[in-house]
Amino acid sequence: MRTIGVFDSGVGGISVLKEILKEFPNDNIIYFGDSLHAPYGDRSIEEIRRLCLKVSDFLVFDKEVDALVIACNTATGAAINIMQERYNIPVVGVVDNGVNEAINSTSNNLIGIIATPATVKMNIYPNTIFKLAPQNSVFQVECPLFVAMIENGWVDSIESDNLIKSYISKFSENIDTLILGCTHYPLITKYISRYFSGKIVNPAKETSKSLKKIIGDGKENLKYNPSRVFFVSGELQKFKKVAEEFLEQPIEDIRKIIL
Ligand code: DGL
């Protein structure tokens, strides 16, 4: 029976997992949230690479997953090429998938991206967009505080609202499409949409669809009872609370691990 490995620096990859669970209800899933080391996006590229290779080696070599989903933009930017070379299984990231949806959605060719400082620094979104659709203009805003606030359980307050407003107001152009370039951000879409009325792109759905194109839908597994195991390197209860709320289902098998 197949196992799909999904990982992120913490709870953000749950936005991708939610779509993976819809597309692959019959497969075993192992999720790894490296919350002890979140936010990745404040770290150097070398450090991000080192951290996420530890996680991916654990999933591929120890847990023998059959496909790997990098449910993290920062990790995708820092390490997807290395991982695709290193492992003999399909490795899918989130960036290309978000870009495809955004370039199909924009009418005025002005695309905005909000992401972690590391993702902005790596320029992976502008580079990918220009390669596929050079007619677009791309504007990036880094949102350094979001990940820590989401990991701790977002509180809807005047302060958090003002923070969203201050980040979104940095877009000087009239962008009509906004890519959530960090998998944590879909957890606060409803708050972001108070300040952005255009199309908000969450790369998660496209990511799980593109994985399905590569590995098929796993219907042959129908007779089994698929397992869902969560490994978390930081505080279990904090992770569980935020993840369950967004997933809208209980997490039963959750284990603490420090690699
Ligand atoms: N969720 C991640 C991303 O998509 C990483 C956030 C972080 O740890 O900084 O970029």
Side-chain angles (χ1 to χ4, degrees), residues 216-227:
D217 61 12
K219 274 214 178 95
E220 64 278 7
N221 296 329
L222 262 178
K223 56 184 180 294
Y224 299 102
N225 201 5
S227 65

Side-chain angles (χ1 to χ4, degrees), residues 26-235:
N26 308 312
D27 288 288
N28 290 333
I29 310 273
I30 299 179
Y31 182 94
F32 195 111
D34 194 12
S35 47
L36 183 66
H37 301 110
Y40 278 3
D42 295 345
R43 297 173 184 274
S44 70
I45 310 304
E46 291 67 35
E47 212 179 343
I48 297 164
R49 222 166 253 157
R50 185 181 60 78
L51 287 170
C52 55
L53 281 174
K54 262 193 185 182
V55 175
S56 56
D57 278 359
F58 169 75
L59 290 170
V60 177
F61 298 138
D62 294 3
K63 296 291 153 195
E64 299 183 334
V65 298
D66 300 289
L68 183 64
V69 179
I70 313 173
C72 173
N73 294 264
T74 313
T76 300
I80 190 167
N81 294 337
I82 301 173
M83 289 180 193
Q84 284 175 333
E85 286 215 345
R86 191 176 176 94
Y87 308 126
N88 276 330
I89 57 167
V91 178
V92 173
V94 274
V95 175
D96 290 6
N97 294 298
V99 164
N100 283 333
E101 194 177 335
I103 59 184
N104 288 330
S105 137
T106 181
S107 310
N108 65 5
N109 295 334
L110 301 176
I111 298 176
I113 292 137
I114 50 174
T116 66
T119 298
V120 168
K121 190 145 106 222
M122 287 184 281
N123 264 323
I124 40 175
Y125 272 100
N127 291 344
T128 311
I129 291 172
F130 294 145
K131 220 185 286 164
L132 295 172
Q135 72 279 15
N136 285 283
S137 300
V138 181
F139 306 90
Q140 306 190 88
V141 169
E142 57 180 49
C143 307
L145 297 175
F146 276 178
V147 169
M149 290 168 75
I150 293 165
E151 284 288 317
N152 286 312
W154 186 269
V155 178
D156 185 20
S157 64
I158 294 173
E159 290 75 24
S160 55
D161 220 44
N162 282 340
L163 185 67
I164 295 177
K165 194 162 48 172
S166 74
Y167 287 149
I168 300 293
S169 65
K170 287 189 181 157
F171 289 107
S172 50
E173 301 291 329
N174 192 22
I175 55 165
D176 71 347
T177 301
L178 177 67
I179 302 178
L180 303 181
C182 169
T183 54
H184 280 70
Y185 304 168
L187 278 70
I188 56 165
T189 305
K190 71 173 176 206
Y191 306 119
I192 293 172
S193 63
R194 288 179 185 159
Y195 298 102
F196 184 73
S197 55
K199 163 89 175 170
I200 295 181
V201 173
N202 166 8
K205 192 174 272 186
E206 286 303 311
T207 301
S208 67
K209 277 194 196 148
S210 80
L211 180 63
K212 195 164 164 182
K213 276 191 204 136
I214 301 169
I215 67 170
D217 61 12
K219 274 214 178 95
E220 64 278 7
N221 296 329
L222 262 178
K223 56 184 180 294
Y224 299 102
N225 201 5
S227 65
R228 279 89 178 78
V229 182
F230 292 76
F231 289 97
V232 177
S233 60
E235 274 179 55

